[in-house]
Amino acid sequence: MKHALVLCAALGLAAGLAGQPVSAQSEDRTAAEFDKFREVLEEANPAELWEVKGEALWKTKRGPKNASLEQCDLGLGPGVVKGAYVQLPRYFEDTGKVMDVEQRIVHCMVTLQGFKFEDLAKAPFSRGDYTPDPVSLVTYVAGQSREMKIAAPQSHPQERATYEIGKQIFFYRAGPWDFACATCHSEDGKRIRTQNLPNFTKPGESAARGYIGWPGYRMTGGVMHTLQWRMNDCFRQQRFPEPGYASDTIAALLTYMAVNANGQTYRGPGIKR
Amino acid sequence: MNRAIVFAGLAAVVAGCAGMQGETAYHEQAVAMMKRDFHTRGIAQVDRLNQDELQRVCTQYGDHPPADVEKRLEAVEMASIKLPADGKYMGDWKRGQRIAADGRGMTWSDKPGVSGGSCYNCHQLSPRETSFGNVGPSLRAFGKTRGFTVENQKYVYQRVSNSKAFVLCSAMPRFGHSSTLTEEQIKDVVAYLMDPNSPVNQ
């Protein structure tokens, strides 16, 4: 009960913040409000709402084949969810490639439940009151790795190759503004406006900082987002064409970032500005 | 003894070649993967994945190409800059301020022809704007410190038009070369940095 009340108050505050125009003068105040908001949320993390929803989706018989996802293999065997998230992306025999968490869940929704990939890819990002099912599912699965160490495997040759391909994509400069991921994310202490830019090129704490905050409840807009959305929006800012949802390009980038974050502790689905 | 050294050297060279080959192979796989996975959306056409020579060289050398390559390609970029036909570099600093703060342009969610310069994303300029990035150096009091000369006006015009003429693998976009900003917009931005009345120089 108290839990629910705190959560409602927190969400109300978030809605208020989201509606504010962002100007230079209000930046500092917004940052202060954000800290306050984060304190309130220590008791009730809004991401938990989506974890609960995702768990229900995981266990319910759904789709044309009327099946649950309880036989979905996230890499540790069919149905094993605990600890699976921090060991992704990884190589899967059945598809013959390295897959990230959302790509794998979508794969299970297609093969086990009979959903069509094209339908799932039509509107894959949260907006307003709409949360796509894979987003809730990823949040649930990620929540089952809370306080575990990131341990993206590099034992299979394909996993090592995918890391190298992801690295190449990360450094690939193109488009009208000549940007690569590396243009914004390869030095410590850099910012775009007031937003801190994590350096993903150095294994360890710095690379982890930008990786482990996902999936995240985003105060701007008041929605839950996964790394699929973050990758999509960074490619937009990079002035690139649009990457396919749950595509191999995204899986390769996530492999590069996850492996560079290896050894750091995953705190679970969180809150983003 | 000498033999051992020669052998060690050879082994290092061979290992180096193998490393290079691996990298080239991964690069090719990465490009093939992107070509498969990306699609056109709005004005962001899929052919944006194709690199021009500068982008290819900067990617290949991790933004640190050999000096001779760098000099040669910087000269190519410099030669491609179109200076204003009327010989005037300065526009209206007030309009320039709006352009410097405007982060729109060239994304798939932007309309064609609607672009700002994103200068505040990467630079500090006016002391009144506290929300600025630091990917580039502070340009605070730029004209005042460098001198309000026509020479410097020209330099800023060229810099904004094509930063790669000065630093080949610069993080700063080529705003003129990519047709992000018009000649008039670039002049307005030059005035924002170089007009003694601009807040940048207060």
PDB file of all heavy atoms in Angstrom, chain A residues 57-71 108-115:
ATOM      1  N   LEU A  57       3.330 -11.598 -18.872  1.00  0.00           N
ATOM      2  CA  LEU A  57       3.380 -11.899 -20.311  1.00  0.00           C
ATOM      3  C   LEU A  57       4.201 -13.166 -20.576  1.00  0.00           C
ATOM      4  O   LEU A  57       3.880 -13.961 -21.447  1.00  0.00           O
ATOM      5  CB  LEU A  57       4.003 -10.732 -21.077  1.00  0.00           C
ATOM      6  CG  LEU A  57       3.128  -9.491 -21.262  1.00  0.00           C
ATOM      7  CD1 LEU A  57       3.970  -8.332 -21.822  1.00  0.00           C
ATOM      8  CD2 LEU A  57       1.964  -9.791 -22.211  1.00  0.00           C
ATOM      9  N   TRP A  58       5.287 -13.330 -19.832  1.00  0.00           N
ATOM     10  CA  TRP A  58       6.178 -14.489 -19.994  1.00  0.00           C
ATOM     11  C   TRP A  58       5.437 -15.797 -19.708  1.00  0.00           C
ATOM     12  O   TRP A  58       5.611 -16.798 -20.397  1.00  0.00           O
ATOM     13  CB  TRP A  58       7.366 -14.322 -19.040  1.00  0.00           C
ATOM     14  CG  TRP A  58       8.416 -15.398 -19.134  1.00  0.00           C
ATOM     15  CD1 TRP A  58       8.489 -16.529 -18.381  1.00  0.00           C
ATOM     16  CD2 TRP A  58       9.532 -15.442 -20.029  1.00  0.00           C
ATOM     17  NE1 TRP A  58       9.586 -17.262 -18.728  1.00  0.00           N
ATOM     18  CE2 TRP A  58      10.251 -16.632 -19.744  1.00  0.00           C
ATOM     19  CE3 TRP A  58      10.010 -14.595 -21.044  1.00  0.00           C
ATOM     20  CZ2 TRP A  58      11.402 -16.988 -20.435  1.00  0.00           C
ATOM     21  CZ3 TRP A  58      11.161 -14.957 -21.724  1.00  0.00           C
ATOM     22  CH2 TRP A  58      11.838 -16.132 -21.428  1.00  0.00           C
ATOM     23  N   LYS A  59       4.576 -15.742 -18.670  1.00  0.00           N
ATOM     24  CA  LYS A  59       3.965 -16.975 -18.174  1.00  0.00           C
ATOM     25  C   LYS A  59       2.591 -17.277 -18.764  1.00  0.00           C
ATOM     26  O   LYS A  59       2.055 -18.369 -18.543  1.00  0.00           O
ATOM     27  CB  LYS A  59       3.872 -16.913 -16.645  1.00  0.00           C
ATOM     28  CG  LYS A  59       5.251 -16.946 -15.998  1.00  0.00           C
ATOM     29  CD  LYS A  59       5.225 -16.811 -14.487  1.00  0.00           C
ATOM     30  CE  LYS A  59       6.637 -16.994 -13.936  1.00  0.00           C
ATOM     31  NZ  LYS A  59       6.752 -16.544 -12.541  1.00  0.00           N
ATOM     32  N   THR A  60       2.025 -16.314 -19.504  1.00  0.00           N
ATOM     33  CA  THR A  60       0.676 -16.497 -20.038  1.00  0.00           C
ATOM     34  C   THR A  60       0.728 -17.160 -21.412  1.00  0.00           C
ATOM     35  O   THR A  60       1.591 -16.837 -22.234  1.00  0.00           O
ATOM     36  CB  THR A  60      -0.042 -15.141 -20.150  1.00  0.00           C
ATOM     37  OG1 THR A  60       0.042 -14.493 -18.886  1.00  0.00           O
ATOM     38  CG2 THR A  60      -1.498 -15.307 -20.542  1.00  0.00           C
ATOM     39  N   LYS A  61      -0.211 -18.073 -21.651  1.00  0.00           N
ATOM     40  CA  LYS A  61      -0.333 -18.670 -22.994  1.00  0.00           C
ATOM     41  C   LYS A  61      -0.906 -17.618 -23.933  1.00  0.00           C
ATOM     42  O   LYS A  61      -2.002 -17.104 -23.689  1.00  0.00           O
ATOM     43  CB  LYS A  61      -1.265 -19.884 -22.951  1.00  0.00           C
ATOM     44  CG  LYS A  61      -0.693 -21.041 -22.159  1.00  0.00           C
ATOM     45  CD  LYS A  61      -1.472 -22.324 -22.462  1.00  0.00           C
ATOM     46  CE  LYS A  61      -0.755 -23.534 -21.913  1.00  0.00           C
ATOM     47  NZ  LYS A  61      -1.501 -24.196 -20.844  1.00  0.00           N
ATOM     48  N   ARG A  62      -0.140 -17.286 -24.989  1.00  0.00           N
ATOM     49  CA  ARG A  62      -0.580 -16.227 -25.899  1.00  0.00           C
ATOM     50  C   ARG A  62      -0.207 -16.583 -27.328  1.00  0.00           C
ATOM     51  O   ARG A  62       0.501 -17.546 -27.580  1.00  0.00           O
ATOM     52  CB  ARG A  62       0.097 -14.898 -25.529  1.00  0.00           C
ATOM     53  CG  ARG A  62      -0.192 -14.414 -24.127  1.00  0.00           C
ATOM     54  CD  ARG A  62       0.762 -13.300 -23.700  1.00  0.00           C
ATOM     55  NE  ARG A  62       0.522 -12.090 -24.486  1.00  0.00           N
ATOM     56  CZ  ARG A  62       1.439 -11.482 -25.210  1.00  0.00           C
ATOM     57  NH1 ARG A  62       2.663 -11.942 -25.258  1.00  0.00           N
ATOM     58  NH2 ARG A  62       1.132 -10.397 -25.889  1.00  0.00           N
ATOM     59  N   GLY A  63      -0.698 -15.715 -28.257  1.00  0.00           N
ATOM     60  CA  GLY A  63      -0.305 -15.826 -29.649  1.00  0.00           C
ATOM     61  C   GLY A  63      -1.060 -16.912 -30.379  1.00  0.00           C
ATOM     62  O   GLY A  63      -1.777 -17.713 -29.768  1.00  0.00           O
ATOM     63  N   PRO A  64      -0.871 -16.967 -31.713  1.00  0.00           N
ATOM     64  CA  PRO A  64      -1.566 -17.953 -32.550  1.00  0.00           C
ATOM     65  C   PRO A  64      -1.349 -19.395 -32.073  1.00  0.00           C
ATOM     66  O   PRO A  64      -2.199 -20.250 -32.255  1.00  0.00           O
ATOM     67  CB  PRO A  64      -0.953 -17.742 -33.931  1.00  0.00           C
ATOM     68  CG  PRO A  64      -0.483 -16.337 -33.933  1.00  0.00           C
ATOM     69  CD  PRO A  64      -0.080 -16.029 -32.520  1.00  0.00           C
ATOM     70  N   LYS A  65      -0.203 -19.684 -31.455  1.00  0.00           N
ATOM     71  CA  LYS A  65       0.065 -21.055 -31.000  1.00  0.00           C
ATOM     72  C   LYS A  65      -0.355 -21.284 -29.554  1.00  0.00           C
ATOM     73  O   LYS A  65      -0.125 -22.373 -29.016  1.00  0.00           O
ATOM     74  CB  LYS A  65       1.554 -21.385 -31.158  1.00  0.00           C
ATOM     75  CG  LYS A  65       2.025 -21.429 -32.612  1.00  0.00           C
ATOM     76  CD  LYS A  65       3.443 -21.984 -32.665  1.00  0.00           C
ATOM     77  CE  LYS A  65       3.991 -21.953 -34.085  1.00  0.00           C
ATOM     78  NZ  LYS A  65       5.427 -22.258 -34.113  1.00  0.00           N
ATOM     79  N   ASN A  66      -0.939 -20.252 -28.923  1.00  0.00           N
ATOM     80  CA  ASN A  66      -1.408 -20.339 -27.536  1.00  0.00           C
ATOM     81  C   ASN A  66      -0.378 -21.006 -26.615  1.00  0.00           C
ATOM     82  O   ASN A  66      -0.662 -21.996 -25.943  1.00  0.00           O
ATOM     83  CB  ASN A  66      -2.743 -21.103 -27.486  1.00  0.00           C
ATOM     84  CG  ASN A  66      -3.437 -20.900 -26.136  1.00  0.00           C
ATOM     85  OD1 ASN A  66      -3.338 -19.816 -25.557  1.00  0.00           O
ATOM     86  ND2 ASN A  66      -4.100 -21.932 -25.645  1.00  0.00           N
ATOM     87  N   ALA A  67       0.819 -20.430 -26.617  1.00  0.00           N
ATOM     88  CA  ALA A  67       1.902 -20.971 -25.787  1.00  0.00           C
ATOM     89  C   ALA A  67       2.477 -19.861 -24.907  1.00  0.00           C
ATOM     90  O   ALA A  67       2.396 -18.682 -25.258  1.00  0.00           O
ATOM     91  CB  ALA A  67       3.006 -21.536 -26.675  1.00  0.00           C
ATOM     92  N   SER A  68       3.046 -20.246 -23.780  1.00  0.00           N
ATOM     93  CA  SER A  68       3.759 -19.269 -22.956  1.00  0.00           C
ATOM     94  C   SER A  68       5.206 -19.226 -23.437  1.00  0.00           C
ATOM     95  O   SER A  68       5.595 -19.956 -24.351  1.00  0.00           O
ATOM     96  CB  SER A  68       3.698 -19.655 -21.481  1.00  0.00           C
ATOM     97  OG  SER A  68       4.662 -20.658 -21.215  1.00  0.00           O
ATOM     98  N   LEU A  69       6.020 -18.360 -22.775  1.00  0.00           N
ATOM     99  CA  LEU A  69       7.436 -18.285 -23.150  1.00  0.00           C
ATOM    100  C   LEU A  69       8.301 -19.138 -22.236  1.00  0.00           C
ATOM    101  O   LEU A  69       9.524 -19.047 -22.256  1.00  0.00           O
ATOM    102  CB  LEU A  69       7.898 -16.821 -23.134  1.00  0.00           C
ATOM    103  CG  LEU A  69       7.349 -15.973 -24.289  1.00  0.00           C
ATOM    104  CD1 LEU A  69       7.645 -14.493 -24.068  1.00  0.00           C
ATOM    105  CD2 LEU A  69       7.926 -16.431 -25.637  1.00  0.00           C
ATOM    106  N   GLU A  70       7.647 -19.975 -21.421  1.00  0.00           N
ATOM    107  CA  GLU A  70       8.399 -20.717 -20.411  1.00  0.00           C
ATOM    108  C   GLU A  70       9.360 -21.749 -21.003  1.00  0.00           C
ATOM    109  O   GLU A  70      10.197 -22.275 -20.287  1.00  0.00           O
ATOM    110  CB  GLU A  70       7.442 -21.339 -19.388  1.00  0.00           C
ATOM    111  CG  GLU A  70       6.896 -20.250 -18.456  1.00  0.00           C
ATOM    112  CD  GLU A  70       5.636 -20.682 -17.713  1.00  0.00           C
ATOM    113  OE1 GLU A  70       4.663 -21.102 -18.359  1.00  0.00           O
ATOM    114  OE2 GLU A  70       5.641 -20.592 -16.480  1.00  0.00           O
ATOM    115  N   GLN A  71       9.228 -22.032 -22.304  1.00  0.00           N
ATOM    116  CA  GLN A  71      10.212 -22.911 -22.949  1.00  0.00           C
ATOM    117  C   GLN A  71      11.275 -22.122 -23.708  1.00  0.00           C
ATOM    118  O   GLN A  71      12.123 -22.694 -24.395  1.00  0.00           O
ATOM    119  CB  GLN A  71       9.505 -23.883 -23.905  1.00  0.00           C
ATOM    120  CG  GLN A  71       8.745 -24.994 -23.184  1.00  0.00           C
ATOM    121  CD  GLN A  71       9.627 -25.752 -22.198  1.00  0.00           C
ATOM    122  OE1 GLN A  71      10.649 -26.311 -22.564  1.00  0.00           O
ATOM    123  NE2 GLN A  71       9.234 -25.752 -20.910  1.00  0.00           N
ATOM    124  N   CYS A 108      11.767 -15.953 -29.734  1.00  0.00           N
ATOM    125  CA  CYS A 108      10.912 -16.904 -29.017  1.00  0.00           C
ATOM    126  C   CYS A 108       9.433 -16.599 -29.253  1.00  0.00           C
ATOM    127  O   CYS A 108       8.612 -17.520 -29.395  1.00  0.00           O
ATOM    128  CB  CYS A 108      11.212 -16.879 -27.521  1.00  0.00           C
ATOM    129  SG  CYS A 108      12.783 -17.674 -27.087  1.00  0.00           S
ATOM    130  N   MET A 109       9.088 -15.319 -29.284  1.00  0.00           N
ATOM    131  CA  MET A 109       7.685 -14.958 -29.537  1.00  0.00           C
ATOM    132  C   MET A 109       7.245 -15.441 -30.922  1.00  0.00           C
ATOM    133  O   MET A 109       6.098 -15.839 -31.113  1.00  0.00           O
ATOM    134  CB  MET A 109       7.481 -13.435 -29.422  1.00  0.00           C
ATOM    135  CG  MET A 109       7.593 -12.912 -27.993  1.00  0.00           C
ATOM    136  SD  MET A 109       7.513 -11.108 -27.898  1.00  0.00           S
ATOM    137  CE  MET A 109       5.738 -10.855 -28.094  1.00  0.00           C
ATOM    138  N   VAL A 110       8.184 -15.416 -31.860  1.00  0.00           N
ATOM    139  CA  VAL A 110       7.871 -15.860 -33.218  1.00  0.00           C
ATOM    140  C   VAL A 110       7.809 -17.396 -33.275  1.00  0.00           C
ATOM    141  O   VAL A 110       6.833 -17.969 -33.761  1.00  0.00           O
ATOM    142  CB  VAL A 110       8.908 -15.304 -34.228  1.00  0.00           C
ATOM    143  CG1 VAL A 110       8.742 -15.948 -35.600  1.00  0.00           C
ATOM    144  CG2 VAL A 110       8.778 -13.782 -34.326  1.00  0.00           C
ATOM    145  N   THR A 111       8.847 -18.055 -32.757  1.00  0.00           N
ATOM    146  CA  THR A 111       8.916 -19.514 -32.924  1.00  0.00           C
ATOM    147  C   THR A 111       7.975 -20.258 -31.980  1.00  0.00           C
ATOM    148  O   THR A 111       7.339 -21.228 -32.383  1.00  0.00           O
ATOM    149  CB  THR A 111      10.355 -20.041 -32.707  1.00  0.00           C
ATOM    150  OG1 THR A 111      10.830 -19.569 -31.441  1.00  0.00           O
ATOM    151  CG2 THR A 111      11.295 -19.570 -33.798  1.00  0.00           C
ATOM    152  N   LEU A 112       7.877 -19.808 -30.726  1.00  0.00           N
ATOM    153  CA  LEU A 112       7.044 -20.545 -29.762  1.00  0.00           C
ATOM    154  C   LEU A 112       5.583 -20.120 -29.792  1.00  0.00           C
ATOM    155  O   LEU A 112       4.674 -20.937 -29.678  1.00  0.00           O
ATOM    156  CB  LEU A 112       7.581 -20.373 -28.328  1.00  0.00           C
ATOM    157  CG  LEU A 112       8.994 -20.881 -28.037  1.00  0.00           C
ATOM    158  CD1 LEU A 112       9.400 -20.527 -26.615  1.00  0.00           C
ATOM    159  CD2 LEU A 112       9.104 -22.378 -28.272  1.00  0.00           C
ATOM    160  N   GLN A 113       5.360 -18.814 -29.927  1.00  0.00           N
ATOM    161  CA  GLN A 113       3.985 -18.313 -29.813  1.00  0.00           C
ATOM    162  C   GLN A 113       3.324 -18.028 -31.166  1.00  0.00           C
ATOM    163  O   GLN A 113       2.116 -17.842 -31.217  1.00  0.00           O
ATOM    164  CB  GLN A 113       3.968 -17.032 -28.957  1.00  0.00           C
ATOM    165  CG  GLN A 113       4.459 -17.276 -27.522  1.00  0.00           C
ATOM    166  CD  GLN A 113       4.370 -16.043 -26.660  1.00  0.00           C
ATOM    167  OE1 GLN A 113       4.865 -14.980 -27.035  1.00  0.00           O
ATOM    168  NE2 GLN A 113       3.725 -16.165 -25.494  1.00  0.00           N
ATOM    169  N   GLY A 114       4.140 -17.972 -32.224  1.00  0.00           N
ATOM    170  CA  GLY A 114       3.563 -17.792 -33.558  1.00  0.00           C
ATOM    171  C   GLY A 114       3.290 -16.353 -33.959  1.00  0.00           C
ATOM    172  O   GLY A 114       2.607 -16.088 -34.951  1.00  0.00           O
ATOM    173  N   PHE A 115       3.838 -15.403 -33.179  1.00  0.00           N
ATOM    174  CA  PHE A 115       3.686 -14.002 -33.607  1.00  0.00           C
ATOM    175  C   PHE A 115       4.506 -13.769 -34.866  1.00  0.00           C
ATOM    176  O   PHE A 115       5.469 -14.483 -35.137  1.00  0.00           O
ATOM    177  CB  PHE A 115       4.158 -13.049 -32.503  1.00  0.00           C
ATOM    178  CG  PHE A 115       3.234 -12.982 -31.311  1.00  0.00           C
ATOM    179  CD1 PHE A 115       3.606 -13.554 -30.101  1.00  0.00           C
ATOM    180  CD2 PHE A 115       1.993 -12.361 -31.405  1.00  0.00           C
ATOM    181  CE1 PHE A 115       2.764 -13.497 -28.994  1.00  0.00           C
ATOM    182  CE2 PHE A 115       1.153 -12.298 -30.303  1.00  0.00           C
ATOM    183  CZ  PHE A 115       1.529 -12.870 -29.096  1.00  0.00           C
TER     184      PHE A 115
END
